[in-house]
Amino acid sequence: MLNTLRCPGCEQPFHVRFGVGPSKMARFYVPCANCSLPIRGRSHGQDLDSHRLEFEAEVLPSEPSLEDTFVTVDPNVPSNYSATQRGELGTFPTMTLMLLVGAGREEALFEVLSRSRSAVDEVWPKVRRIYEYYLVEDWKHFDKAGKDAFNDWQTAATNHGRATAAHQAVWAVTAAITDDINDSATRYLHKFRNKHTAALRLTKYLHSSRADVASGLVPQLQRGSFQLLDRFIGHFDAWQMGVLRRVMPTNRLVMLEDLTLFRDEFDILRDLYQQGFETVCKTLRFAVAAQNTIKRQDPDDFGPDVPLSLNNQKANPKSLNAYDKLGNAARLAYIGQVPGWERYAALLNNHTRNAIGHATAWHDLRTGKIFSDTKPDGVQYLDLVADVFGVFDALSASLQVLRSVRVA
């Protein structure tokens, strides 16, 4: 859409080429082409006919052409504030995405963007009903919701079968949202399941799992993880572009330094990241329990070797409950030292959490960066978007871990 705005600051008119896409409510900003004043706005609507743009500026009754000089802003695709001519990187959204991923990867990117949008808009509302009925054990409506959502739904007669069906339904959506290139979470989940299955042969592990269910810990984490997944998906538009850092070749990531995602949703991303980070870390006890059992036949036995990154720690925790009292960075260190789990731990970037969680953190709309006392040089907004995407990936795997423990 081409618009002409009058800046409320310098009062000069300028042209904006605005990219629109399906959105419940996207908060964005447009830098004035003359004085760089950030002008906030909102975009909402599922199609062109119903789509509405609201600017905190006067919209002038003019009809700019594509030959005019303009500022490009697309809340769903990184843009380049300095690119004012047609064809420059950061002007046309589709072309920008193709240039970023490079030849041969365009199809993979557009496939995951289309697939994830369909999963969020069409499938998740049905799956959410399935899991809600699962949580309250309303099996009559659970089966009805399942049959409404999936043509091949099979009625299960056992708690094990129902748990499997409910979590497979959730996984169908979360796997559709994440890309097919970064397998950090799926690899973690696969290795956990193998360790969990083997550990179930030992009485101590089985009793530990059953105690965590009986205490209410596992059901509580299941509900909390599901509700948080639902919140992530409700704000999907805000972090969808985090997929770029996962599908772009490493040698092309430098191209993102000249681009900005002109969204004004730092508060949403910060809360999603922090809540997701904390919730995932609460589920790590089940992974280390399986690892301890496989290595030392006891879920509470952490052995004598402290992870190298915790060399200032004198001894390992004496039990899983003691492990839970460690800081999140320490808990992640035990996950990161297990072969095949290190990349899963890396999805939870503690440096990002420390930067955005600081009370002084703020989003500077002129630079598109997030600054705080701990990050005076700033963190690129796109980096935070990518990290939120990674936390969603980790959280979706955590819910599947909880399912395995619940049915033990």
Side-chain angles (χ1 to χ4, degrees), residues 14 22 26 70 72 79 91 102 104 133-134 138-139 146 148 154 161 195 199 201 255 293 303 316 318 353 373:
F14 67 99
F70 53 82
T72 298
S79 308
T91 52
Y133 288 129
Y134 163 75
D138 182 345
W139 305 128
D148 289 343
Q154 297 292 322
K195 295 175 187 292
R201 301 189 185 100
M255 299 170 68
T293 303
N316 280 324
K318 300 300 182 183
R353 179 175 177 269
D373 288 350

Side-chain angles (χ1 to χ4, degrees), residues 273 277 328-329 332 348-355:
Y273 185 91
F277 187 99
N328 289 328
L332 283 168
L348 304 170
N349 187 333
N350 204 45
H351 297 297
T352 298
R353 179 175 177 269
N354 290 338

Side-chain angles (χ1 to χ4, degrees), residues 185-235:
T186 53
R187 181 171 175 155
Y188 165 78
L189 183 59
H190 174 72
K191 288 185 172 293
F192 164 77
R193 283 173 171 165
N194 288 341
K195 295 175 187 292
H196 171 73
T197 301
L200 283 174
R201 301 189 185 100
L202 281 81
T203 303
K204 284 186 177 180
Y205 181 79
L206 186 59
H207 285 175
S208 175
S209 298
R210 288 178 174 172
D212 284 340
V213 174
S215 70
L217 175 62
V218 173
Q220 180 184 1
L221 285 173
Q222 281 183 295
R223 179 176 290 279
S225 298
F226 166 73
Q227 291 175 339
L228 191 51
L229 277 175
D230 186 40
R231 185 157 185 259
F232 266 84
I233 293 175
H235 292 293

Side-chain angles (χ1 to χ4, degrees), residues 114-134:
S114 173
R115 184 184 68 205
S116 58
R117 173 56 61 184
S118 176
V120 167
D121 292 341
E122 300 173 18
V123 187
W124 179 248
K126 300 176 182 178
V127 168
R128 182 174 57 217
R129 288 194 289 273
I130 293 172
Y131 205 86
E132 287 282 3
Y133 288 129
Y134 163 75

Side-chain angles (χ1 to χ4, degrees), residues 145-403:
K147 292 175 182 177
D148 289 343
F150 300 101
N151 294 329
D152 58 350
W153 180 268
Q154 297 292 322
T155 299
T158 65
N159 287 339
H160 187 158
R162 291 161 182 156
T164 298
H167 288 83
Q168 284 179 341
V170 173
W171 186 255
V173 175
T174 58
I177 292 174
T178 54
D179 63 286
D180 300 321
I181 295 175
N182 189 321
D183 65 347
S184 303
T186 53
R187 181 171 175 155
Y188 165 78
L189 183 59
H190 174 72
K191 288 185 172 293
F192 164 77
R193 283 173 171 165
N194 288 341
K195 295 175 187 292
H196 171 73
T197 301
L200 283 174
R201 301 189 185 100
L202 281 81
T203 303
K204 284 186 177 180
Y205 181 79
L206 186 59
H207 285 175
S208 175
S209 298
R210 288 178 174 172
D212 284 340
V213 174
S215 70
L217 175 62
V218 173
Q220 180 184 1
L221 285 173
Q222 281 183 295
R223 179 176 290 279
S225 298
F226 166 73
Q227 291 175 339
L228 191 51
L229 277 175
D230 186 40
R231 185 157 185 259
F232 266 84
I233 293 175
H235 292 293
F236 174 66
D237 294 344
W239 51 270
Q240 179 186 22
M241 267 302 118
V243 74
L244 271 179
R245 284 198 174 274
R246 298 160 71 100
V247 301
M248 287 176 62
T250 303
N251 62 350
R252 302 181 78 85
L253 290 175
V254 67
M255 299 170 68
L256 293 176
E257 295 179 2
D258 297 324
L259 303 178
T260 300
L261 190 63
F262 288 98
R263 298 187 77 103
D264 183 24
E265 295 162 333
F266 170 64
D267 55 335
I268 294 174
L269 295 181
R270 177 191 57 206
D271 290 350
L272 289 176
Y273 185 91
Q274 291 180 325
Q275 292 173 16
F277 187 99
E278 293 290 339
T279 300
V280 171
C281 286
K282 290 177 181 178
T283 70
L284 298 180
R285 69 175 274 134
F286 307 110
V288 296
Q291 175 68 7
N292 289 348
T293 303
I294 294 301
K295 291 197 72 174
R296 289 173 289 274
Q297 292 73 56
D298 186 341
D300 288 304
D301 189 351
F302 286 80
D305 299 325
V306 178
L308 292 177
S309 60
L310 303 179
N311 53 14
N312 61 334
Q313 187 170 307
K314 294 181 179 179
N316 280 324
K318 300 300 182 183
S319 67
L320 288 173
N321 289 337
Y323 169 81
D324 281 346
K325 294 177 182 178
L326 297 176
N328 289 328
R331 282 189 275 181
L332 283 168
Y334 287 90
I335 297 296
Q337 70 175 353
V338 179
W341 287 359
E342 62 277 357
R343 288 194 292 135
Y344 179 80
L347 290 175
L348 304 170
N349 187 333
N350 204 45
H351 297 297
T352 298
R353 179 175 177 269
N354 290 338
I356 67 172
H358 200 274
T360 62
W362 61 288
H363 182 200
D364 180 18
L365 302 187
R366 285 183 176 267
T367 63
K369 290 185 176 182
I370 297 159
F371 293 92
S372 71
D373 288 350
T374 60
K375 286 287 182 181
D377 295 332
V379 175
Q380 197 172 13
Y381 190 83
L382 270 170
D383 289 346
L384 174 57
V385 173
D387 286 339
V388 170
F389 195 110
V391 169
F392 172 81
D393 202 3
L395 181 64
S396 66
S398 293
L399 184 62
Q400 301 301 320
V401 166
L402 293 170
R403 173 259 168 197

